[in-house]
């Protein structure tokens, strides 16, 4: 059974940083691309970033490019998202998801709140 | 970026009703479209992939159609467990944008 468990969310001031983690199990992690999708409170879904299984390719939404960094540790079956220079509009639930074009499995999400 | 527009934005229907949600892409995306269902307070779940393939376990009351720019998701007989928000998502090229969502409620 595929399981994705995000952690690392919290309250941070504008301009601050956070590192989100997603622990994966139930599949051969290194073989699959992984993605991050976020959802602002009461709003729709926004694709944020994706990474190939071998980490050789990464992709970012324009809204986060240059501020967020996606990475993975295949030895620990863990996906990361480093969030820097955070803004109020980055406040959202951040979901990790299995896949790139089709997001077949999703974690339960971790809430990031950017507020002074 | 490709814009995805869903209609209606919200919908209230009775159990047993036939319900249709549409999704329009701002340019031709062939069949590169997925549908997701998000129940209140939960993570989204994949419902349909490649425009017409039901994910394992999805009831047969769900049907889909379309290609190019216009797509539909139909529930033939609405059930209480179908409530929530439905999102379409294209994957023609990055960024893989989502529609704004259609919130489905039971009357």
């Amino acid at each position: 059974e595929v399981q994705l468990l995000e952690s690392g969310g919290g309250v941070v001031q504008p301009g601050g940083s956070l590192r989100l983690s997603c622990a994966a199990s139930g599949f051969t992690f290194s073989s699959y691309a992984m993605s991050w999708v976020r959802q602002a409170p009461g709003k729709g879904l926004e694709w944020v970033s994706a990474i190939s299984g071998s980490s050789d390719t990464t992709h970012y939404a324009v809204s986060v490019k240059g501020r967020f960094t996606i990475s993975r540790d295949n030895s620990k079956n863990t996906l990361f998202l480093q969030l820097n220079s955070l803004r109020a509009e980055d406040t959202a639930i951040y979901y990790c998801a299995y896949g790139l074009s089709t997001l077949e499995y999703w974690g339960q999400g971790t809430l990031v709140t950017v507020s002074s | 970026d490709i814009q995805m527009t869903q209609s209606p934005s919200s919908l209230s229907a009775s159990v047993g009703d036939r319900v249709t949600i549409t999704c329009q892409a701002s340019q031709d995306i062939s069949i590169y479209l997925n549908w997701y269902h998000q129940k209140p307070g939960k993570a989204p779940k994949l419902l349909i992939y490649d425009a017409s393939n039901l994910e394992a376990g999805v009831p047969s009351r769900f049907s889909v159609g379309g290609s190019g720019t216009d797509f539909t998701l139909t529930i033939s007989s609405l059930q209480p467990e179908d409530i929530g928000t439905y999102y379409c998502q294209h994957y023609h090229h990055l960024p893989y944008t989502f529609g704004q969502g259609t919130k489905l409620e039971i009357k």
Side-chain angles (χ1 to χ4, degrees), chain A residues 7-49:
Chain A
S7 60
V11 181
V12 60
Q13 291 189 339
S17 298
L18 276 178
R19 190 192 198 200
L20 308 183
S21 300
C22 172
S25 62
F27 64 103
T28 306
F29 183 69
S30 60
S31 296
Y32 293 93
M34 296 291 292
S35 302
W36 288 96
V37 175
R38 68 183 180 183
Q39 185 170 36
K43 302 297 184 183
L45 302 171
E46 180 187 13
W47 175 83
V48 173
S49 183

Side-chain angles (χ1 to χ4, degrees), chain B residues 55-67:
Chain B
E55 180 71 345
V58 173
S60 58
R61 63 179 178 273
F62 287 87
S63 63
V64 285
S67 65

